[in-house]
C-alpha cells in the first residue's frame, strides 16, 4: 500500500490529484490481490486509458508551455507507459485475464509510481516552481 503525503506532491494541484487517483488504484488492486477478476481488470484498464489521455496531455501541455528541457525524455516514458497499457488491453481482449495479469498490472503501476512519479514528475514540479518564481 502507498500512502499519500506531501512529500509526494509535485506542486501542481491537478497533477497531484491525478497521482492520488493512481495511488488509490494501486491500493485497491493490492487489497483485492488474490480475489480480483475480469471486472477489476476492466476497471483498471479503463482508468489507465483515461490516465493516458488526461494526465499525460496535462503534463505535456505544461512542459511545452514552460519549455521543459527534459520534455523528450519525459514523453518517451509516457510512451512506454502507453505501450504497457496497450499490452494489458490486448491480453484482456484475448481473454487472458488472470490473477497473474492483475498482479502484473499492480507490479507495473508500483514500479511506475516509484520510478516515474517520485523522480521524473517531482523534477517537473521543481521546474514549474522555479519558473513560477522567476516569471
Amino acid at each position: 500500500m502507498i500512502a499519500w503525503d506531501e512529500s509526494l506532491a509535485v506542486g501542481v494541484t491537478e497533477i497531484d490529484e491525478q497521482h492520488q487517483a493512481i495511488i488509490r488504484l494501486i491500493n485497491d488492486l493490492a487489497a483485492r490481490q488474490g480475489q480480483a477478476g475480469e471486472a477489476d481488470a476492466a476497471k483498471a484498464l479503463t482508468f489507465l486509458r483515461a490516465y493516458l489521455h488526461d494526465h499525460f496531455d496535462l503534463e505535456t501541455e505544461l512542459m511545452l508551455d514552460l519549455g521543459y528541457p527534459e520534455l523528450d525524455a519525459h514523453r518517451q516514458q509516457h510512451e512506454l507507459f502507453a505501450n504497457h497499457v496497450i499490452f494489458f488491453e490486448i491480453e484482456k481482449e484475448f481473454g487472458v485475464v488472470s490473477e497473474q495479469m492483475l498482479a502484473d498490472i499492480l507490479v507495473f503501476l508500483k514500479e511506475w509510481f516509484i520510478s516515474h512519479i517520485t523522480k521524473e514528475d517531482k523534477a517537473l514540479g521543481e521546474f514549474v516552481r522555479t519558473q513560477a518564481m522567476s516569471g
Side-chain angles (χ1 to χ4, degrees):
M1 297 286 232
I2 300 171
W4 176 265
D5 65 46
E6 285 307 308
S7 72
L8 299 173
V10 171
V12 177
T13 302
E14 195 170 354
I15 290 174
D16 287 336
E17 289 170 353
Q18 291 169 342
H19 287 167
Q20 290 172 35
I22 205 162
I23 288 172
R24 284 190 298 275
L25 175 65
I26 291 168
N27 290 340
D28 185 48
L29 288 174
R32 297 192 42 76
Q33 205 162 16
Q35 56 190 346
E38 194 164 337
D40 298 293
K43 178 182 170 186
L45 292 173
T46 298
F47 174 91
L48 293 174
R49 177 55 62 184
Y51 187 83
L52 281 174
H53 295 289
D54 300 339
H55 184 69
F56 292 168
D57 288 353
L58 173 65
E59 282 190 3
T60 299
E61 185 178 320
L62 183 62
M63 290 186 287
L64 285 168
D65 287 349
L66 296 175
Y68 187 56
E70 299 299 319
L71 170 68
D72 289 337
H74 203 105
R75 285 170 78 172
Q76 285 178 347
Q77 295 227 339
H78 289 179
E79 288 175 22
L80 289 172
F81 184 97
N83 289 340
H84 274 87
V85 172
I86 290 166
F87 176 77
F88 291 132
E89 289 175 331
I90 290 169
E91 278 189 314
K92 182 182 172 295
E93 196 65 33
F94 282 100
V96 189
V97 175
S98 65
E99 280 302 319
Q100 185 58 53
M101 177 191 167
L102 291 165
D104 290 346
I105 291 172
L106 182 58
V107 167
F108 166 70
L109 289 176
K110 284 181 179 178
E111 288 175 359
W112 173 261
F113 187 83
I114 292 166
S115 68
H116 184 81
I117 293 174
T118 62
K119 294 181 182 137
E120 306 297 326
D121 285 352
K122 289 286 282 186
L124 173 59
E126 185 60 37
F127 183 79
V128 169
R129 281 189 297 284
T130 303
Q131 292 299 310
M133 287 181 199
S134 65

